[in-house]
Amino acid sequence: MPTRRLDISRRATIYIRMMQTLKSLSGMVIAAALAAPADAADATLIVDRRAESVALYFKMAATDFEPVFGTGAEGLLGADGTVDVPRLYDGTFPLADKIFAATTVSLAGQATPFEAISMMVHDPDSLPEFVVPYDAELSIAICTSPETVQDMTLETLEGYLGYFAWKVDGLAELVIDLPLTGRSVLELRVRESVDHVEVADQKVSLPDGGKLTLTPPEPPAQGLTAWLTAVSLGFALFAAGMIFLRAPKPRAAT
């Protein structure tokens, strides 16, 4: 019995390592297929599109919430002007809704309400990745690192906002109208994904009160998705076959 448990453990370890390798290879292929713009931007927007939903994730300096959206993140601060960590644990989506209240979004020409998922601030010395929708979801999670921003002010923090709409045509033309706030031109990097595969990466300049229009995206490259699917299936079949062949066979009844 101990030997059998050891064999199963080894097979599980091999399988996990193969899946990790696949993830690394997939990331390299996607990165090579979609090169990032070289110019820096004031803010980044990740658009996570699905057939029946769409999510918007913004990253920018925490002090830029007010110039961009008309409402700042001062609601996160305590009386001493630093981040109130217990308030982060209580939930930040009400404040995120308030920040986005003056911004309007439409899909296929129809005004579409977006609800806040959450918001977060992070220490610039330990920022999370912000490239794909999965990164964005982690970046706005309240449970990631509240204590790391204790005793810090908005001037020293990076801010993250997340919003979503459900039961909508997430692949339709999307228009975001930002409010007039008196700000200067906003250099915005926009990364769009369809079903977690990046399909567009561009930089746009938005004047004060500007409108961002994103046309219906092209579907993910068929060759890329087919390659990833084939590799995934190959790894899974290999692992399953290895486990089947090496599993102890039942003894015949005597």
Side-chain angles (χ1 to χ4, degrees):
M1 186 62 71
T3 302
R4 182 180 178 183
R5 283 201 297 267
L6 181 59
D7 288 343
I8 293 174
S9 177
R10 285 175 176 170
R11 290 195 292 272
T13 300
I14 293 172
Y15 178 77
I16 291 170
R17 287 177 179 174
M18 287 192 299
M19 292 300 100
Q20 291 172 336
T21 300
L22 172 62
K23 182 179 179 181
S24 298
L25 289 172
S26 302
M28 288 187 290
V29 171
I30 294 173
L34 294 159
D39 296 337
D42 301 321
T44 299
L45 166 63
I46 292 178
V47 182
D48 181 13
R49 292 180 179 265
R50 316 287 178 88
E52 294 187 344
S53 67
V54 60
L56 310 174
Y57 301 97
F58 295 90
K59 171 189 175 183
M60 63 189 71
T63 52
D64 284 346
F65 285 176
E66 184 170 4
V68 173
F69 300 109
T71 300
E74 284 73 18
L76 291 180
L77 305 179
D80 63 352
T82 64
V83 175
D84 184 344
V85 172
R87 192 170 298 175
L88 292 180
Y89 281 115
D90 286 341
T92 57
F93 63 89
L95 177 57
D97 274 330
K98 183 178 179 181
I99 290 173
F100 207 60
T103 300
T104 59
V105 184
S106 64
L107 287 167
Q110 299 294 318
T112 305
F114 274 69
E115 298 181 30
I117 307 171
S118 184
M119 66 173 289
M120 189 59 182
V121 287
H122 291 284
D123 182 349
D125 289 337
S126 55
L127 292 181
E129 292 288 335
F130 198 78
V131 178
V132 297
Y134 179 73
D135 297 334
E137 291 166 4
L138 291 179
S139 296
I140 64 167
I142 294 178
C143 60
T144 49
S145 56
E147 280 77 14
T148 66
V149 298
Q150 193 163 16
D151 301 324
M152 298 185 72
T153 64
L154 291 183
E155 288 74 19
T156 56
L157 295 166
E158 194 77 6
Y160 298 80
L161 294 160
Y163 303 91
F164 80 103
W166 189 46
K167 295 298 182 181
V168 297
D169 183 1
L171 305 180
E173 179 183 74
L174 187 152
V175 178
I176 302 175
D177 282 299
L178 295 171
L180 279 167
T181 63
R183 63 169 171 81
S184 58
V185 173
L186 174 69
E187 300 295 339
L188 180 66
R189 181 175 181 177
V190 184
R191 309 186 72 144
E192 290 184 78
S193 292
V194 175
D195 294 328
H196 276 266
V197 176
E198 191 171 76
V199 296
D201 186 354
Q202 61 176 316
K203 184 179 175 183
V204 297
S205 298
L206 295 177
D208 186 21
K211 178 186 298 186
L212 173 67
T213 300
L214 301 177
T215 58
E218 294 291 332
Q222 294 300 314
L224 175 60
T225 54
W227 182 86
L228 293 176
T229 300
V231 173
S232 299
L233 181 60
F235 272 124
L237 289 175
F238 175 77
M242 180 180 64
I243 293 173
F244 174 78
L245 291 175
R246 295 186 59 183
K249 301 299 187 293
R251 294 182 179 180
T254 58

